[in-house]
Amino acid sequence: MTKVGIIVGSLRKDSVTKLLAENVAPMFPEGVETEFVKIGNIPLYNEDLDTEENTHEEYTKFRNTMKEVDAILFVTPEYNRTMPAGIKNALDVGSRPYGQSIWDGKPAAIMSQSPSGLAGFGANHDIRQGLVFLNVYPMQQPEAYIGGSYELFDDNGKLNNEDTKSFLQTVVDAFVEHIGRFK
């Protein structure tokens, strides 16, 4: 069994990013388990909260959860042409303490979404830059930029565009193949 941790960059309860992730999770095949990893309750990284004598409980919970996943799918909006603060904070918390990064050597994929035609391009590449430094192996192709995202869901939160569904399935299939390279 392969376990994929899904990190959603938007912390809003009813976010389009979360809808996208919820529609993508069931696209993974049998033998791949997905788990949504919450990042909204992790305090901003502060070394004072992360000492040998006393580590913040949320840091420990997040790190332990991420140690159990084999791969990571980031699903993100774009804020000011960059990644959301929650993802940046998760990357920082997971990279500490020095020499014990929970990210090291894991495969990843990034899906970005936006109501605009740029489709979160800046956030997608901002995350990639951080992952490369953390020795994470982001999938190169196909890239997943989902534009016009506010129009892609019906009133029940389901994808209503067959071309988008088909494309996302292609991305998931390629990601599963990418993960297989690291087993």
Side-chain angles (χ1 to χ4, degrees):
M1 178 71 72
T2 298
K3 190 169 190 179
V4 175
I6 300 175
I7 294 179
V8 176
S10 175
L11 305 181
R12 268 187 335 113
K13 179 180 66 150
D14 296 322
S15 79
V16 172
T17 307
K18 182 178 168 198
L19 278 178
L20 178 61
E22 289 172 345
N23 278 267
V24 167
M27 293 180 176
F28 282 87
E30 191 175 315
V32 177
E33 176 187 350
T34 59
E35 177 181 351
F36 282 83
V37 180
K38 299 197 182 306
I39 60 172
N41 53 346
I42 305 170
L44 288 176
Y45 186 74
N46 178 340
E47 240 178 294
D48 292 341
L49 302 176
D50 197 20
T51 65
E52 282 187 34
E53 300 79 36
N54 188 27
T55 298
H56 196 287
E57 175 185 355
E58 292 299 329
Y59 291 179
T60 301
K61 258 173 53 176
F62 174 72
R63 289 171 181 153
N64 288 339
T65 297
M66 292 306 296
K67 286 176 186 174
E68 298 298 316
V69 304
D70 302 301
I72 309 106
L73 173 62
F74 293 91
V75 185
T76 188
E78 179 174 285
Y79 296 158
N80 303 312
R81 298 283 189 263
T82 189
M83 75 177 90
I87 289 180
K88 173 65 169 116
N89 189 51
L91 292 175
D92 291 345
V93 169
S95 72
R96 303 290 192 273
Y98 183 78
Q100 298 176 41
S101 174
I102 53 90
W103 308 110
D104 189 44
K106 292 187 180 182
I110 306 157
M111 289 183 179
S112 56
Q113 70 77 27
S114 171
S116 80
L118 290 176
F121 178 87
N124 195 304
H125 283 264
D126 195 32
I127 293 169
R128 285 176 187 277
Q129 184 176 351
L131 295 182
V132 168
F133 177 79
L134 294 171
N135 199 37
V136 175
Y137 299 100
M139 181 175 72
Q140 302 303 309
Q141 294 292 327
E143 295 176 294
Y145 309 105
I146 312 302
S149 58
Y150 288 18
E151 308 300 320
L152 296 176
F153 301 93
D154 65 21
D155 293 340
N156 297 316
K158 299 297 180 198
L159 280 166
N160 62 16
N161 182 295
E162 291 305 317
D163 289 341
T164 302
K165 283 183 197 175
S166 177
F167 172 69
L168 291 171
Q169 187 63 63
T170 299
V171 172
V172 168
D173 293 346
F175 185 37
V176 170
E177 186 178 320
H178 180 67
I179 294 167
R181 294 181 185 115
F182 296 90
K183 288 210 155 220

